[in-house]
Amino acid sequence: MDFVAFATHSVRRAMVGQVRAVFNDAARGETPVQPSDDALFTRDSVLWRVHGDVTTMMVGGVAALLLQMLHPAVLAGVWDHSKFRHDMLGRLRGTARFIAQTSYASRAEAEAAIARVRTIHQHIRGTLPDGTPYRADDPRLLAWVHVTEAVSFLDGWIRYAEPGMSRADQDRYFAEFAQVAEALGADPVPHSRAEAQALIAEMRGELHYDARTREVARLLLEQPAPNLATKPFQAMTFAAAIDLLPGWARQMHHLSTPPLAAPAVRLGTRGVAETLRWAFR
């Protein structure tokens, strides 16, 4: 191996190692989820294409969390029953691992992950500050969590990977991802872009922003990077996630992307995405 090839290999290995360290807790013995030919979805599925891209999933994942916490009952479940205040990275890792397992791990591993989450949801219940009861296995709340993830993951992919994605492939993505949501007990579950947009529009009247929303958003967006090497990438990811949000959601969160900064955020994020795709090739 010549020097250039060796250097290229070393850079790739270092980048892949840094990313895997973020998503897998070595202290708990976690290793990357392995793709399987016996997954819930085939290798040529649109879902594999979208969920297999590191940068767009990180951007979409943060945007989805910002949308999800605008629903008071979803926020209460996190506030009352989660250790996010002390381990935000752990919570993010858990969510990312679940998405990976249900996307391309073996069918047995995916079904076990779904069963585990359903069991956890059965024990999460409480009361909102106004006295309204909530439970994590409420089909409508699960539908909100799902639709915000689906739209955010897909919009991140379209913006930073496949701007010309056909509407047919977008609808196919929603139809595929619906299988996981339905297995978790969500209802209603959108099977197309139009149905997803209609569900979000229908549920906007239930959304609310208050001091607890602000605190959870702050903890998410101000969490320290896992290490110095990932700090600039994390900052770019958070800026891109805010930029990805629909305007009404940015307004509710009192967040904004200055018009002159948006092109730089998108250009920088696109560069990070292309670099990581090169590293994982």
Side-chain angles (χ1 to χ4, degrees):
M1 181 182 294
D2 62 27
F3 176 77
V4 173
F6 174 78
T8 299
H9 175 73
S10 298
V11 170
R12 275 182 167 161
R13 186 172 58 183
M15 292 180 68
V16 170
Q18 289 284 356
V19 171
R20 286 178 173 167
V22 170
F23 288 103
N24 300 278
D25 188 349
R28 297 179 57 185
E30 289 182 350
T31 57
V33 174
Q34 296 302 308
S36 170
D37 288 326
D38 184 40
L40 295 177
F41 308 95
T42 60
R43 290 180 180 268
D44 64 350
S45 64
V46 180
L47 184 138
W48 268 54
R49 193 160 91 222
V50 174
H51 289 186
D53 191 69
V54 176
T55 304
T56 59
M57 287 297 285
M58 288 194 297
V59 171
V62 174
L65 288 172
L66 289 168
L67 285 170
Q68 288 165 10
M69 68 179 69
L70 289 172
H71 195 293
V74 174
L75 178 69
V78 174
W79 186 273
D80 295 339
H81 300 275
S82 172
K83 58 180 181 178
F84 74 95
R85 294 181 191 79
H86 312 292
D87 187 19
M88 179 64 79
L89 178 58
R91 179 173 175 79
L92 295 175
R93 276 174 170 162
T95 301
R97 192 167 193 82
F98 177 79
I99 294 295
Q101 289 173 319
T102 54
S103 297
Y104 44 79
S106 69
R107 183 174 295 270
E109 186 175 348
E111 290 175 347
I114 290 169
R116 185 167 57 252
V117 169
R118 289 197 69 143
T119 298
I120 292 171
H121 284 169
Q122 290 171 3
H123 299 286
I124 296 177
R125 56 192 63 224
T127 305
L128 300 181
D130 66 1
T132 303
Y134 72 84
R135 54 190 179 89
D137 58 359
D138 182 331
R140 189 169 177 83
L141 295 185
L142 291 170
W144 175 248
V145 171
H146 169 73
V147 73
T148 54
E149 288 180 348
V151 168
S152 298
F153 292 155
L154 185 59
D155 285 350
W157 170 261
I158 291 171
R159 177 167 293 178
Y160 294 110
E162 192 180 352
M165 188 180 200
S166 69
R167 189 59 174 258
D169 273 359
Q170 293 180 46
D171 288 345
R172 186 178 162 200
Y173 169 77
F174 281 105
E176 290 169 353
F177 201 12
Q179 296 178 48
V180 177
E182 289 165 349
L184 285 170
D187 184 52
V189 177
H191 287 70
S192 67
R193 165 72 78 171
E195 290 180 4
Q197 291 172 332
L199 179 58
I200 289 175
E202 176 188 329
M203 296 191 71
R204 276 186 60 183
E206 302 174 27
L207 307 184
H208 179 69
Y209 178 90
D210 59 17
R212 296 207 301 188
T213 323
R214 181 172 61 251
E215 175 64 6
V216 175
R218 184 190 68 78
L219 288 169
L220 171 64
L221 297 175
E222 295 182 6
Q223 65 175 297
N227 52 61
L228 287 176
T230 59
K231 188 173 182 178
F233 298 106
Q234 178 172 293
M236 185 69 69
T237 297
F238 289 168
I242 293 169
D243 181 50
L244 189 68
L245 288 172
W248 59 264
R250 280 198 304 273
Q251 188 172 31
M252 287 188 72
H253 272 290
H254 307 285
L255 296 169
S256 64
T257 301
L260 295 179
V265 167
R266 296 183 186 185
L267 182 63
T269 305
R270 190 169 292 110
V272 169
E274 291 172 354
T275 300
L276 289 180
R277 286 179 205 128
W278 166 81
F280 277 88
R281 221 171 36 213

